[in-house]
Amino acid sequence: MNRRPNHLAGAASLVWLLLVGFPLYVMIGATLRTRSDYARRGPLAFPEGLTLDNYTGALSTGFGQYFLNTVIVTACVVGLVVLLVPPLAYAIVRSRSRFASSAFRLFLLGLAIPAQAVIVPMFYLISEAGLYDNLLGVVLPTAAFCLPISALILSGAMRDIGGELYEAMAMDGASPRRMFFQLVLPLSKGGLSTVVVFSALQAWNGFLFPLVLTQSDSTKLITLGLYDFQTEHGIDIPGLLAAVVLSMVPVLLVYLFARRALVQGLMGVGGK
């Protein structure tokens, strides 16, 4: 049986496409225009001539260094989270001791503490440790604030592993360490992927810690490097938007390739 076309749904989809596509046109179109053309004809006009000078200019003003610093911070944060959270979540799920349950509650308490509430003592702690204006001084607090939600996500994924699988491996004489590497980690790939994506996005988009804990240009991250396009005489909007587009590309790629794992991991929070 032939179904009638749903004109209302088609119209709604067209409206949604316009709502999403119009800001993208304004942003990307501005990056392909000269600054004088943008100022003279406004943000909605079509470019008179396409140019990539805004992208090359963004990279030549130190934005490449900021990009590299952000990559280093993101990689280190993800590495620390992946190193610490899986054994922690495994201990939370498998241990029956009060210490493990108390540690888990302590981590959950971290979800209720915003970074803004501890930024002053964090500044003094990082300064006393000699890590001020150092990328490591940004990596450590960023990773610390990723740990609570990462432990919650991964412990929820590990709780979905059936107890009969543990019993089968125990009957084969497997040690807890062998169970962790050969059973738990392979079956927790969805939750682990979610943790990687979440911590990477938190580190890449971080603003507060880089703002307070760094100062020199050599340690700037992308979120702070965008300020370089603002001067006392105005803002280089095409150059700024070109830098924004460059900073969005890694995040967009991560989302495109890991969105399914991210959704599946978040659906598993809390276990069965």
Side-chain angles (χ1 to χ4, degrees):
M1 184 178 65
N2 294 330
R3 295 184 178 181
R4 292 182 178 180
N6 193 335
H7 298 289
L8 182 60
S13 300
L14 181 60
V15 171
W16 178 252
L17 180 62
L18 292 175
L19 290 176
V20 174
F22 184 72
L24 290 176
Y25 158 73
V26 173
M27 180 176 66
I28 297 178
T31 64
L32 301 175
R33 303 169 61 183
T34 62
R35 187 174 181 180
S36 60
D37 178 35
Y38 185 90
R40 186 179 74 257
R41 302 174 62 230
L44 303 183
F46 193 79
E48 288 182 338
L50 301 182
T51 178
L52 296 177
D53 290 344
N54 293 310
Y55 292 98
T56 57
L59 294 175
S60 64
T61 56
F63 195 79
Q65 180 65 45
Y66 308 154
F67 191 94
L68 178 61
N69 292 341
T70 308
V71 170
I72 294 173
V73 169
T74 302
C76 292
V77 168
V78 172
L80 281 175
V81 172
V82 171
L83 180 66
L84 297 176
V85 171
L88 172 66
Y90 179 64
I92 291 171
V93 172
R94 295 295 296 168
S95 177
R96 298 295 180 264
S97 67
R98 292 184 177 180
F99 176 78
S101 59
S102 300
F104 185 51
R105 294 190 184 95
L106 183 62
F107 268 83
L108 292 182
L109 181 62
L111 296 175
I113 302 177
Q116 293 83 354
V118 296
I119 191 60
V120 174
M122 184 70 68
F123 170 79
Y124 283 106
L125 181 63
I126 293 297
S127 299
E128 289 297 322
L131 297 177
Y132 178 75
D133 202 24
N134 189 303
L135 293 182
L136 184 59
V138 179
V139 169
L140 294 179
T142 304
F145 273 86
C146 290
L147 291 180
I149 186 63
S150 299
L152 179 63
I153 292 172
L154 199 55
S155 61
M158 290 182 180
R159 285 192 178 96
D160 289 337
I161 301 175
E164 62 277 3
L165 297 177
Y166 291 104
E167 295 174 2
M169 290 199 69
M171 292 179 63
D172 290 339
S175 63
R177 180 179 179 180
R178 181 182 169 190
M179 291 183 186
F180 174 71
F181 284 104
Q182 296 186 4
L183 173 66
V184 175
L185 285 184
L187 294 181
S188 303
K189 288 183 179 179
L192 193 59
S193 299
T194 304
V195 167
V196 169
V197 173
F198 171 78
S199 57
L201 293 179
Q202 290 293 107
W204 189 270
N205 296 323
F207 179 78
L208 182 61
F209 289 139
L211 176 65
V212 177
L213 302 178
T214 62
Q215 183 179 15
S216 62
D217 290 339
S218 61
T219 57
K220 271 187 180 180
L221 303 189
I222 282 178
T223 48
L224 297 181
L226 298 178
Y227 280 110
D228 290 349
F229 297 92
Q230 179 177 353
T231 66
E232 60 180 341
H233 303 292
I235 302 177
D236 181 7
I237 296 180
L240 174 62
L241 293 179
V244 170
V245 170
L246 291 174
S247 66
M248 286 172 50
V249 171
V251 177
L252 182 61
L253 292 177
V254 169
Y255 173 75
L256 289 177
F257 290 102
R259 65 185 186 279
R260 181 173 299 178
L262 180 63
V263 173
Q264 290 177 349
L266 290 175
M267 289 175 62
V269 173
K272 293 182 179 178

